[in-house]
Amino acid sequence: MNCKGMVYILGAGPGDYGLLTIKAADCISKADVIVYDRLVNASILSLAKKDAEFINVGKMPNHHSVPQDIINKILLDKAMEGKVVARVKGGDPFVFGRGGEEAEVLQKNSIEFEVVPGITSAVAAAAYAGIPVTHRDYCSSLHIITGHEKPGRDVSFIDYEVIAKLEGTLVFLMGMKNLNEICSNLIKFGKAGITPAAVIERGSTIEQRVIIGTLQDISEKVKKSSVKSPAVTVIGNVVNLRERLNWFPKGKLAGKRVIVTRAREQASSLVEEIRKLGGEAVEFPTIRIEEPLDYEHFDRVLGNLKWYKWIVFTSVNGVRAFFKRMRALKIDIRSLWEIRIGAVGEATAIELSAMGLIADFIPADYTTKELLKGLVGLINKGEKVLLPRTDIANKELSEGLKENNIDFEELTVYRTVTEASMKDAVHELLVQSRVDFITFTSSSTVRNFVKLLGNENLGLLSTIKTVCIGPVTSETAKESGLNVSAVADKYTIDGLIVKLVELSEE
Ligand code: SAH
C-alpha cells in the first residue's frame, strides 16, 4: 500500500501577488508538487521549495488546457505517491474554478485534502477598478454568474428572464465571448439599456484595463478595445462609483513588470521595493547555493585556523557557509581571535557583523582591483590569506594575489548551481512580450540567466530594458550578448531602484 500524501486545493487570488493569502503561501512553500493554472501569477511559483515539481495544467503545447480528468489523475497519482500537492488556481478554487469537482474525486479516493479559499476576481477585479460590488445606496444583492456554461448542457441554468429582474449587482465571469448575447438577453427581458456596465481585464495586475459603458454599448466598446479574457463584467449602478473611487494603478513603477534574477537563497529587498512602487516583480532565481561535495578540505582548514592571518570573505553566502560549518563542528568563534577579516561589499560586512565580527578591511569600491590594492598594503610578508568562496569564483583575485607574492589558499565553502524551476514561467512571459525590465545584481546571475534562457532566445530581450547593479555585472552582461540600458550609480538595491524609476519615466 502506498503511503498517501495530501492535496491543498488553493486559490491564488486574481493576480496581484499581495492578494495571495498567508495560508496559501505557506502551503505552496511546503508542497512537493505544484499543479497550477494559466491565471496564476508567475511570482507565486517562486515560493515553492527548491526541489518542487511544477506541472502547468493551464496550457499544453497546442495551447489547449489539460482536460479535467487528466488533472484529476495527476492529483491522485501524486498524492498516492505520498506527495504533498498544491493545486493552485486563480481567484477562489470554488468560484467557477472546478475545485469542487477535484475535491469530490479526492474524497472518493480517500485522499486527504484541504481547501484554501482565495480572493475571487469577481469581487477583487471590481475593487481594483474602484467599483464596490455592493453599496447600501445602490443595491442589496450581488450575483456571480458564468458567461460560459458547461458545454453540451441541453437546458441553460441561466434564466435571463429572472436575472434581468434582479436589482442587485451582476458579475459575469468567463463572459467575453458571449458578452453581446448576455447584454442583449438582459435588455430583452427588461433590464434598462442605460444600466452602467464595466469590463475589467486582468484585474489587479499591472496589465489591468477597465472599459466603462452601459448595457447597450459595452459589448461594442469591448470589441473596439480588443479586450481579451480574463475579464469580468460588472453590471449595475455601483459602476458609477468608479468616477470617485478609482484608485488603481498607483506608484512610480505602476504598469511595469520587472524580472529580478537572484540566487534562490537571497531574500530580495529589490522585489519588495518594486512591489511597493506598484510594479510587478517576478522573482527568477537563476542560481542556487549547495553544500560542497565533501568537507575534507573545509574541515582541515577549520581544524588549523592558526595557519591563517587573514580571512577574506567575498560574499554573504561565503560568510554563511563558513560559520555554518564552524557551528556544525562546534568550533568556537574565539578561535578566530588572532585572524584579521576582510569583507568585500557592504552586505558581506553586515552578514559578518550579525556574527559579532567587525571586518578589519572593506575595500572602498567593491571591485577585485580595489580589494587587491587594499590587501597588498595590509598583508605582511609570510602571512597567509584564506579565501572562502564558491566553486566557480573568478580567478582575478587569486591571480592578483599570486602576482603580488601573497600566500593564499582558496577554499570552496559552497557551490553555485543553476536553478531552473522558474525557467518556463519566465520564458512564457518573455514570449508574450509582457516584461519591461530585467535586473541583475551579480555576474553569476547574468551568466546563469543566459545559460537558462539559451543564446537562441536572447532576441526575446530586444525590447526589454536591462539594468545592472554595478560595472562588473554590466560588463558580464555585455560580454554575454545583452544590451545594458542602465547601470546603478550607487551599487546597491536602492541604486537599482532609482534607475528603474528613471527609465519608467522616460
Ligand atoms: N476561480 C476564479 C475564476 C475562474 S473562471 C476566481 O475566483 O476568480 C475564469 C474567469 O475568471 C475568467 O474568464 C475571468 O472572467 C475571471 N478572472 C480571473 N482572473 C481575473 C482577473 N485578474 N481579472 C478579471 N477577470 C478575471
Side-chain angles (χ1 to χ4, degrees), residues 14-15 39 90-93 95-97 119-122 125 172-175 200-205 229-232:
L39 292 178
D92 179 273
V95 177
F96 299 122
I119 295 181
T120 178
S121 62
F172 283 88
L173 268 63
M174 298 178 280
I200 305 130
E201 181 187 35
R202 290 187 187 274
S204 88
T205 73
S229 175
V232 298

Side-chain angles (χ1 to χ4, degrees), residues 6 9 33 69 81 88 90 218 239 256 262-263 265 300 308 334 410 461 506:
M6 71 156 310
I9 300 177
V33 186
D69 52 340
E81 284 169 27
V88 186
I218 191 76
V239 169
K256 304 292 176 194
R262 61 171 179 88
E265 290 71 11
R300 188 157 22 94
Y308 309 93
R334 286 168 292 185
E410 282 178 287
L461 305 176
E506 267 175 14

Side-chain angles (χ1 to χ4, degrees), residues 202-394:
R202 290 187 187 274
S204 88
T205 73
I206 54 154
E207 288 149 336
Q208 171 172 309
R209 282 200 297 167
V210 182
I211 311 290
I212 299 289
T214 61
L215 206 46
Q216 236 153 12
D217 63 16
I218 191 76
S219 160
E220 196 50 39
K221 283 184 167 177
V222 158
K223 211 157 110 201
K224 265 201 199 121
S225 328
S226 50
V227 170
K228 290 190 190 65
S229 175
V232 298
T233 306
V234 183
I235 299 165
N237 289 329
V238 285
V239 169
N240 288 339
L241 284 161
R242 172 174 161 85
E243 277 175 32
R244 281 180 282 141
L245 304 185
N246 182 17
W247 61 277
F248 179 82
K250 220 174 168 176
K252 289 187 170 160
L253 290 179
K256 304 292 176 194
R257 180 176 281 120
V258 188
I259 291 184
V260 178
T261 59
R262 61 171 179 88
R264 190 172 227 287
E265 290 71 11
Q266 232 161 39
S268 182
S269 49
L270 179 55
V271 166
E272 246 168 68
E273 281 306 311
I274 292 167
R275 287 180 186 150
K276 262 191 227 156
L277 292 171
E280 184 187 308
V282 179
E283 292 183 80
F284 185 16
T286 57
I287 52 180
R288 189 168 78 219
I289 306 307
E290 298 259 310
E291 297 198 6
L293 289 174
D294 67 68
Y295 278 98
E296 201 219 307
H297 185 196
F298 203 160
D299 291 354
R300 188 157 22 94
V301 167
L302 290 181
N304 294 291
L305 283 169
K306 57 181 182 309
W307 289 350
Y308 309 93
K309 284 285 171 285
W310 278 89
I311 303 180
V312 177
F313 291 98
T314 50
S315 72
V316 169
N317 290 316
V319 174
R320 284 192 192 145
F322 191 85
F323 291 97
K324 188 173 165 208
R325 191 62 186 166
M326 274 185 73
R327 279 193 297 275
L329 297 185
K330 295 206 173 358
I331 297 176
D332 194 288
I333 197 145
R334 286 168 292 185
S335 49
L336 299 173
W337 75 280
E338 272 186 314
I339 300 175
R340 307 191 76 195
I341 291 177
V344 181
E346 216 170 272
T348 310
I350 291 172
E351 194 66 27
L352 280 166
S353 70
M355 231 72 72
L357 295 167
I358 309 302
D360 299 284
F361 168 63
I362 307 172
D365 204 354
Y366 312 149
T367 58
T368 311
K369 224 169 149 190
E370 272 304 311
L371 172 66
L372 271 172
K373 217 163 79 188
L375 281 179
V376 169
L378 286 168
I379 297 171
N380 298 317
K381 238 191 149 37
E383 290 185 345
K384 188 161 181 163
V385 181
L386 180 67
L387 298 175
R389 308 175 81 187
T390 166
D391 59 331
I392 56 154
N394 77 31

Side-chain angles (χ1 to χ4, degrees), residues 39 42 52 55 68 85 92 96 99 102 107 131 143 192 281 331 338 342 379 453 460 504:
L39 292 178
I55 304 177
Q68 189 62 46
V85 182
D92 179 273
F96 299 122
E102 291 172 12
Q107 182 270 334
I131 303 168
H143 311 269
I331 297 176
E338 272 186 314
I379 297 171
L453 194 65
L460 292 174
S504 299

